[in-house]
């Protein structure tokens, strides 16, 4: 799996609650049998007009935010479907970190499998980053997962964050879940024998 | 031993390895596979020279992309066809049992699992689809997973997962006539919100849940994910055992009787504690209709569109304003004044036989309103035949309702069944997100009877008034 250790990049704000997976990537783009190439589908309903042209009002179409690597968003981001295409589309676009007060469970899990950090911060800190990203378009944010800290260049934002140690370890080291579990193959065999499976 | 909830019993029974502070490695008894979330997982196996560990616990079907037109007609969408072909190829190469679009056992993955007897009490069930929560209605622990996890389960027959918390949703009292399982779950989501269940497994209890049929229980559990819950569950009882008896892949004869004894022990122990409790009174419920762009934006049929100005905070006010703009609705408007263009009866939420009967009963001897296009998509090939044996297809056809072949269809619009921009649909599916049924389409979630009633009237009506 892809690792995530440290990132510095432009942060784009989308101040909406309950951004669902159908907004992140609509179902019509899930027909691909590839694991990459979803960047143009990201937020497509918001990003493009009905005629396919760019919607200039959408944040990622504004010049200052176009090359964003970080999103700051409202609570319950990624609710809805289990589609891993959602983190794939974010990753393919170049977004490797999403900051919110909360995420939907399946989306949250899926991010860790793809080198994308879904970072949970308290409401006042998310608000601080949201306001800074809106008032200072193109501002860069640094996220250090190893040192568990988020800051901007001016250090006006400087936040120490908490994250589950096992999830951090998996992401920092880009651990291969399947490889790890296959090392427990004897335990799995024992379980099957014991349960008559 | 301390008293345990049903979920804890099933979880504890499936832990293969639990290292301190690590996710548990839990055994998976049933892995359901479909064409959309599996191709990259099979590719991963191939790249690493891995096999499917337990072919006997893995079943695949084609449902999301399949056209619902006559089976003699081809799949015209080239990209959909490619994905369906990939499932055929992958299942053949790895040896996975596949019910393709021509199989008599084909259907929506969450419909065929229980209907064929694969899903059973006490099992752990996964599928690369969030509505896997449906299977919890039989007393299974069933969760949706991503494609990386699909690959993990294929290779190891286990899943790495942190243990969720538990929530009891107790539905007291008896449902009034004309109020259904769909209205129960919409009311629950309206009450706890689309984030209310995050991190939790919901167990639905109470008199109104006990009185539901299996079809109704599946409707409730199906939408657990719409409240953000990891899973939904209902304790198995005589209704569950009667439902499973004689199903093709359920235990048979003496084995079935032995299984029932095991299943009876799964119920939550007296005195077991849930992390949260929510109660609702079924006797006060009305038929429900969503008016917004999340399933939590819902009102009883006697209700009105809310005013964003009344919202508690700015974020909610923005979300309501945006939802009303997208849905082209005005604050204060009566739900019954909303005119519709289409109805869709189908999806893993409401495409079982009981749902089709409920819709048929409403349209019987009547005609669909001239401005409405109505479509009914049965949940599986088997249910389609069962409905036709009862003459439901004739009732629909005489009323002017289009009777289709099984699939996910217009629930998410991956196949040719989609809304045009601006079209408004009364839908028995589970999500009313922006663009869910087609870009610019407007979705109102309702029960099958309410969708059928709207088809006749051309706007929402209280099905109890018909």
């Amino acid at each position: 799996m892809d690792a995530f250790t440290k990132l510095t990049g432009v942060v784009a704000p989308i101040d909406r609650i309950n951004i669902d997976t159908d907004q992140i990537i609509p179902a019509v783009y899930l027909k691909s049998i590839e694991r990459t190439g979803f960047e143009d589908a990201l937020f497509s309903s918001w990003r493009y007009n009905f005629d396919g042209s760019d919607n200039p009002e959408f944040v990622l179409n504004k010049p200052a935010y176009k090359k964003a690597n970080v999103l700051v968003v409202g609570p319950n981001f990624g609710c809805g479907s289990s589609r891993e295409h959602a983190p794939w589309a974010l990753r393919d676009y170049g977004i490797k970190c999403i900051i919110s007060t909360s995420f939907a469970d399946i989306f949250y899990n899926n991010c860790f499998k793809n080198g994308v950090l879904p970072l949970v911060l308290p409401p006042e800190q998310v608000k601080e980053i949201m306001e800074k990203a809106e008032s200072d378009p193109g501002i860069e944010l640094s996220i250090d997962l190893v040192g568990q800290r988020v800051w901007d260049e001016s250090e006006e934002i400087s936040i120490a964050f908490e994250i589950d140690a096992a999830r951090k370890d998996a992401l920092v080291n880009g651990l291969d879940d399947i490889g790890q579990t296959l090392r427990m193959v004897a335990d799995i065999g024992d379980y099957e024998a014991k349960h008559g499976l | 031993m301390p008293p345990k909830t049903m979920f804890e019993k099933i979880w504890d029974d499936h832990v293969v390895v639990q290292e301190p502070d690590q996710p548990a490695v839990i055994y998976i008894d049933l892995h359901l596979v479909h064409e959309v979330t599996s191709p990259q997982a099979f590719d991963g196996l191939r790249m690493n020279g891995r096999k499917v560990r337990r072919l006997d616990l893995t079943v695949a079907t084609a449902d999301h992309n399949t056209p619902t037109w006559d089976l003699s007609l081809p799949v015209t969408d080239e990209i959909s066809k490619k994905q369906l072909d990939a499932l055929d190829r992958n299942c053949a190469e790895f040896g996975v049992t596949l019910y393709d679009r021509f199989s008599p056992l084909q259907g929506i993955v969450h419909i065929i699992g229980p209907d064929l007897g694969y899903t059973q009490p006490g099992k752990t069930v996964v599928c690369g689809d969030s509505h896997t929560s449906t299977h919890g209605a039989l007393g299974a622990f069933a969760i949706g997973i991503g494609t990386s996890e699909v690959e993990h389960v294929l290779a190891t027959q286990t899943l790495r997962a942190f243990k969720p918390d538990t929530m009891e949703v107790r539905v007291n009292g008896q449902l009034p006539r004309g109020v259904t399982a769909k209205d129960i779950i919409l009311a629950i989501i309206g009450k706890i919100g689309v984030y209310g269940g995050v991190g939790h497994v919901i167990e639905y209890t109470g008199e109104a849940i006990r009185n539901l049929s299996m079809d109704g229980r599946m409707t409730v559990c199906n939408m657990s994910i719409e409240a953000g819950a990891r899973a939904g569950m209902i304790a198995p009882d005589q209704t569950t055992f009667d439902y499973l008896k004689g199903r093709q892949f359920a235990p048979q004869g003496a084995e079935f009787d032995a299984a029932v004894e095991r299943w009876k022990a799964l119920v939550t122990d007296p005195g077991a504690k849930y992390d949260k409790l929510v109660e609702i009174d079924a006797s006060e419920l009305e038929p429900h209709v969503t008016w917004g762009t999340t399933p939590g934006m819902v009102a009883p049929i006697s209700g009105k569109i809310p005013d964003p100005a009344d919202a508690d905070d700015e974020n909610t006010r923005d979300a309501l304003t945006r939802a009303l703009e997208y849905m082209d609705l005005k604050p204060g408007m009566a739900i019954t004044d909303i005119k519709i263009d289409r109805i869709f009866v189908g999806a893993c939420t409401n495409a079982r036989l009981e749902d089709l009967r409920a819709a048929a009963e409403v349209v019987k001897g009547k005609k669909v309103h001239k401005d409405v296009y109505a479509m009914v998509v049965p949940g599986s090939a088997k249910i389609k035949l069962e409905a036709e044996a009862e003459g439901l297809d004739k009732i629909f056809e005489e009323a002017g309702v289009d009777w289709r072949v099984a699939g996910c269809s217009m629930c998410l619009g991956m196949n040719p069944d989609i809304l045009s921009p601006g079209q408004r649909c009364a839908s028995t599916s589970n999500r009313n997100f922006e663009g869910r049924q087609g870009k610019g389409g407007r979705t109102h979630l309702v029960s099958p009877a309410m969708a059928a009633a709207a088809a006749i009237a051309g706007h929402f009506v209280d099905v109890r008034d018909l």
Side-chain angles (χ1 to χ4, degrees):
Chain A
M1 292 196 307
D2 296 337
F4 180 105
T5 51
K6 194 182 160 188
L7 168 75
T8 296
V10 169
V11 54
I14 309 181
D15 194 5
R16 289 185 198 167
I17 62 172
N18 303 320
I19 296 175
D20 60 74
T21 47
D22 279 83
Q23 308 319 311
I24 301 171
I25 179 168
V28 68
Y29 298 102
L30 311 185
K31 297 177 187 181
S32 165
I33 57 173
E34 308 296 329
R35 200 182 265 269
T36 54
F38 295 97
E39 59 276 11
D40 292 340
L42 180 69
F43 293 122
S44 83
S45 298
W46 294 348
R47 222 165 121 198
Y48 308 119
N49 295 315
F50 280 104
D51 64 4
S53 60
D54 283 357
N55 168 15
E57 297 302 311
F58 184 62
V59 64
L60 294 179
N61 289 331
K62 295 179 180 172
Y65 299 112
K66 218 174 175 85
K67 293 207 161 67
N69 303 111
V70 183
L71 283 185
V72 54
V73 296
N76 199 26
F77 186 82
C79 59
S81 145
S82 66
R83 60 188 69 162
E84 201 162 318
H85 311 68
W88 292 341
L90 289 158
R91 176 204 61 194
D92 291 352
Y93 185 90
I95 289 164
K96 300 289 171 62
C97 177
I98 306 137
I99 298 171
S100 179
T101 55
S102 57
F103 294 90
D105 288 326
I106 309 178
F107 175 82
Y108 188 73
N109 280 339
N110 283 341
C111 285
F112 284 93
K113 315 287 183 192
N114 293 284
V116 175
L117 172 65
L119 183 58
V120 177
L121 293 178
E124 60 276 17
Q125 295 177 340
V126 173
K127 187 163 179 263
E128 187 188 2
I129 296 172
M130 186 76 77
E131 285 172 356
K132 186 90 177 158
E134 283 171 349
S135 64
D136 198 353
I139 186 182
E140 290 195 340
L141 214 56
S142 295
I143 297 105
D144 177 10
L145 178 55
V146 180
Q148 296 185 209
R149 203 166 80 88
V150 177
W151 69 97
D152 72 334
E153 207 179 351
S154 68
E155 298 263 353
E156 276 174 36
I157 294 171
S158 177
I159 296 166
F161 63 82
E162 299 294 320
I163 186 166
D164 176 80
R167 291 194 189 272
K168 173 183 167 180
D169 185 46
L171 201 48
V172 166
N173 296 301
L175 294 179
D176 167 24
D177 276 354
I178 299 177
Q180 286 202 88
T181 305
L182 284 175
R183 277 189 252 137
M184 302 171 180
V185 71
D187 296 307
I188 300 170
D190 286 350
Y191 179 94
E192 288 170 330
K194 194 174 136 202
H195 290 77
L197 288 159
Chain B
M1 266 216 304
K4 286 181 178 180
T5 63
M6 173 172 57
F7 161 69
E8 287 164 335
K9 290 181 188 181
I10 298 173
W11 176 274
D12 290 350
D13 190 42
H14 285 82
V15 173
V16 177
V17 177
Q18 174 73 74
E19 290 172 350
D21 302 321
Q22 292 292 318
V25 176
I26 60 169
Y27 199 81
I28 300 304
D29 297 318
L30 175 63
H31 185 190
L32 300 164
V33 173
H34 65 84
E35 78 274 19
V36 180
T37 54
S38 67
Q40 298 87 349
F42 282 113
D43 276 349
L45 292 184
R46 214 165 2 241
M47 274 190 307
N48 292 289
R50 290 168 176 154
K51 297 185 303 187
V52 177
R53 180 178 175 87
R54 291 297 298 262
L55 291 167
D56 55 334
L57 306 180
T58 311
V59 184
T61 193
D63 57 2
H64 282 64
N65 277 270
T66 50
T68 55
W69 51 53
D70 193 280
L71 286 174
S72 63
L73 300 170
V75 179
T76 49
D77 180 330
E78 282 304 317
I79 317 174
S80 286
K81 185 169 185 313
K82 211 169 147 189
Q83 197 165 58
L84 291 164
D85 290 347
L87 184 69
D88 288 349
R89 254 193 338 271
N90 287 327
C91 289
E93 180 185 334
F94 287 89
V96 174
T97 301
L98 167 66
Y99 304 130
D100 68 12
R101 68 186 273 258
F102 302 105
S103 165
L105 301 188
Q106 179 268 351
I108 304 174
V109 66
H110 308 309
I111 300 235
I112 66 170
D115 195 42
L116 299 179
Y118 282 112
T119 307
Q120 293 160 24
K123 279 192 179 184
T124 48
V125 181
V126 296
C127 173
D129 192 285
S130 59
H131 292 110
T132 309
S133 57
T134 313
H135 305 258
L138 288 92
F141 172 53
I143 59 173
I145 56 176
T147 296
S148 294
E149 293 175 318
V150 169
E151 184 180 339
H152 190 281
V153 178
L154 288 172
T156 69
Q157 202 57 37
T158 67
L159 184 71
R160 288 173 168 265
F162 289 95
K163 189 176 177 179
D165 294 333
T166 54
M167 177 191 289
E168 180 185 8
V169 175
R170 202 181 295 159
V171 188
N172 299 311
Q174 296 190 11
L175 278 179
R177 183 189 63 86
V179 184
T180 68
K182 184 65 165 280
D183 305 305
I184 292 180
I185 189 62
L186 287 173
I188 291 169
I189 300 166
K191 183 182 169 88
I192 69 173
V194 293
Y195 189 70
V198 168
H200 290 75
V201 170
I202 297 176
E203 183 180 342
Y204 301 94
T205 65
E207 186 183 359
I209 298 292
R210 288 285 132 231
N211 288 340
L212 289 177
S213 67
M214 280 315 302
D215 285 3
R217 293 178 187 188
M218 286 187 254
T219 300
V220 171
C221 287
N222 175 270
M223 290 189 72
S224 304
I225 181 72
E226 272 27 275
R230 202 70 187 90
M233 305 175 89
I234 294 173
D237 59 10
Q238 199 57 45
T239 302
T240 322
F241 311 143
D242 292 345
Y243 173 89
L244 277 170
K245 193 166 190 171
R247 294 200 181 255
Q248 190 170 350
F249 296 98
Q252 308 289 329
E255 274 187 38
F256 182 81
D257 298 336
V260 167
E261 291 311 310
R262 284 198 312 277
W263 295 339
K264 282 179 179 169
L266 288 169
V267 299
T268 294
D269 295 327
K273 291 270 181 294
Y274 301 87
D275 297 301
K276 266 192 200 173
L277 167 68
V278 173
E279 288 190 84
I280 67 165
D281 183 353
S283 66
E284 291 175 358
L285 294 182
E286 293 177 40
H288 274 56
V289 180
T290 68
W291 47 263
T293 53
T294 77
M297 295 177 176
V298 64
I301 182 68
S302 65
K304 290 185 173 8
I305 304 293
D307 190 338
D310 299 335
D312 294 336
D313 61 85
E314 196 185 328
N315 266 342
T316 309
R317 188 156 50 244
D318 289 351
L320 296 186
T321 305
R322 193 182 155 81
L324 293 190
E325 189 184 322
Y326 182 86
M327 295 297 289
D328 192 25
L329 296 170
K330 298 276 178 286
M333 185 178 177
I335 299 286
T336 47
D337 286 342
I338 301 173
K339 290 195 173 119
I340 56 153
D341 306 302
R342 298 180 68 159
I343 72 142
F344 168 60
V345 175
C348 52
T349 323
N350 282 121
R352 287 169 284 269
L353 195 53
E354 178 179 295
D355 303 314
L356 306 180
R357 284 177 184 150
E361 193 187 323
V362 172
V363 302
K364 190 173 186 176
K366 303 192 175 79
K367 289 282 178 204
V368 169
H369 190 275
K370 63 177 175 47
D371 298 332
V372 175
Y373 169 70
M375 180 168 81
V376 177
V377 183
S380 72
K382 177 170 166 271
I383 288 172
K384 179 171 187 281
L385 288 180
E386 288 166 354
E388 287 169 357
E390 292 183 11
L392 301 187
D393 57 325
K394 292 285 171 295
I395 294 172
F396 287 127
E397 279 161 17
E398 280 161 19
V401 178
D402 209 356
W403 174 247
R404 310 298 286 258
V405 308
C408 298
S409 180
M410 208 164 70
C411 174
L412 81 171
M414 279 193 77
N415 80 340
D417 307 331
I418 56 167
L419 294 180
S420 309
Q423 272 192 331
R424 190 181 296 282
C425 180
S427 177
T428 67
S429 53
N430 40 46
R431 288 194 177 131
N432 51 345
F433 299 153
E434 286 180 32
R436 171 77 178 180
Q437 298 189 296
K439 186 167 175 167
R442 298 174 178 133
T443 303
H444 296 270
L445 304 176
V446 287
S447 71
M450 284 289 286
I456 303 298
H459 58 90
F460 288 112
V461 288
D462 190 334
V463 66
R464 297 171 300 178
D465 295 341
L466 295 184

